[in-house]
């Protein structure tokens, strides 16, 4: 949120950002954000001249090899179980 001071008054109710999402190349999805600005915003002298608030997100590329394959997880659980014996 910019300006940063406005972030104190910016409240996200529902956001696509609350959970990790993976997109395929060229995939199109809706990414809704529901929010409200606390009315106390108007009473903050530091924001008296602020007429705009900017909300931005950065999307990061993940490793293509990073999948939901649980085989490695099962191996890790066996190793932990054997170490505990």
């Amino acid at each position: 949120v910019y300006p940063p001071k406005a972030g104190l008054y910016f409240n996200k109710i529902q956001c696509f950002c609350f959970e990790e999402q993976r997109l395929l190349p060229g995939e199109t999805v809706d990414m809704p954000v529901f929010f409200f600005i606390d009315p106390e915003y108007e009473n903050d002298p530091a924001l008296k001249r602020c007429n705009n608030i900017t909300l931005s997100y950065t999307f990061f590329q993940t490793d293509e090899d990073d999948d939901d394959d649980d085989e490695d997880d099962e191996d890790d659980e066996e190793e932990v179980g054997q170490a505990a014996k």
Side-chain angles (χ1 to χ4, degrees):
V1 175
Y2 187 84
K5 177 81 172 166
L8 298 171
Y9 304 97
F10 192 91
N11 297 284
K12 287 186 275 186
I13 300 167
Q14 182 180 351
C15 182
F16 69 90
C17 61
F18 291 161
E19 295 181 23
E20 180 179 326
Q21 297 183 45
R22 295 183 182 235
L23 305 177
L24 299 173
E27 183 176 6
T28 303
V29 296
D30 289 325
M31 296 187 162
V33 178
F34 295 93
F35 64 91
F36 71 93
I37 308 292
D38 188 322
E40 287 300 312
Y41 171 86
E42 291 183 320
N43 300 326
D44 190 326
L47 296 167
K48 187 99 175 139
R49 303 190 77 184
C50 179
N51 294 317
N52 296 299
I53 297 175
T54 302
L55 175 65
S56 63
Y57 289 90
T58 302
F59 293 87
F60 297 94
Q61 184 172 347
T62 60
D63 295 333
E64 290 181 31
D65 194 28
D66 188 14
D67 59 13
D68 291 328
D69 184 5
D70 290 335
E71 286 181 31
D72 292 337
D73 294 340
E74 290 173 11
D75 291 342
D76 291 344
E77 288 173 11
E78 284 181 29
E79 290 173 15
V80 170
Q82 290 173 358
K85 289 182 182 178

